[in-house]
Amino acid sequence: MVAEIVDKTGRQGPRRGGRRTGPALRGRTAGRSNSLAGLFRGGEGSQTLQTLLYWPASFGGLLLVYGVATWLPTLMRGEGYNLGSALTFVALLNLGGIVGMLVAGRASDRFGAPRISAIWFALTAAGVFLLSVHMPPAFTFGWCSSPGCS
C-alpha cells in the first residue's frame, strides 16, 4: 500500500552512481541492504560503531525521560521545594525539551547532528546537576524551561 502511494506521488529514491533508483520503495534489493544485519557488515561504509553507540545513547535518553517524569518531583520535594513547585519543574522541563528539540533539529541541519547531540547531552547533564542545588524557584524555573537544558 505504501509503495502504491509513493508510486502515485512519483517521488524518486536516492541517487546511486549519478542516477535515480526509481520510486523510493520500489526495487528493494531483496531486503538485504535494509536489514539489521546490514548495519554490522564490514567493508566500506560500515555503520557498526555508530549503531552500537546509538543504542546506549537512546537507552540513556529514555532513562532520563523516565527518571525525570517519575523521580524529579520526589527529589525536588527532598530539596525543600513544595509539591506545586516540584510538579511545575517537571512540566517546564518537558516544555523546554520540546522547544529544545525543535532548536536542536534546526541546529543539527546546519552544524551536523553528532556535534549538536553531544552539546545537547552535555547541557542536559549540567541542567540535571543544577537541579540538585537548591536555588531560588524563579531561577530554577527559568533553567528548567530553557531549550537545550531540558
Side-chain angles (χ1 to χ4, degrees):
M1 178 172 174
V2 174
E4 293 170 4
I5 294 170
V6 171
D7 285 342
K8 288 179 183 178
T9 63
R11 183 165 178 240
Q12 297 293 308
R15 290 183 181 268
R16 293 192 186 180
R19 58 183 167 64
R20 296 273 183 190
T21 60
L25 296 178
R26 191 185 320 148
R28 290 185 183 172
T29 56
R32 297 276 183 198
S33 65
N34 295 332
S35 69
L36 179 63
L39 293 172
F40 295 103
R41 286 197 189 102
E44 187 178 337
S46 175
Q47 297 182 355
T48 302
L49 181 61
Q50 292 91 341
T51 300
L52 292 175
L53 292 175
Y54 179 76
W55 291 349
S58 294
F59 176 76
L62 291 172
L63 190 62
L64 178 69
V65 170
Y66 168 77
V68 165
T70 305
W71 291 103
L72 186 60
T74 304
L75 295 173
M76 298 308 288
R77 293 271 321 255
E79 286 293 318
Y81 295 99
N82 64 34
L83 181 60
S85 292
L87 294 174
T88 303
F89 291 141
V90 173
L92 288 175
L93 197 68
N94 285 312
L95 289 174
I98 291 168
V99 173
M101 287 297 98
L102 295 173
V103 171
R106 295 292 299 231
S108 293
D109 289 342
R110 184 168 185 175
F111 302 109
R115 178 180 300 152
I116 298 302
S117 295
I119 291 169
W120 238 249
F121 271 106
L123 288 172
T124 301
V128 170
F129 172 75
L130 282 177
L131 288 176
S132 69
V133 177
H134 188 74
M135 297 177 285
F139 181 77
T140 308
F141 286 153
W143 178 257
C144 283
S145 61
S146 63
C149 299
S150 45

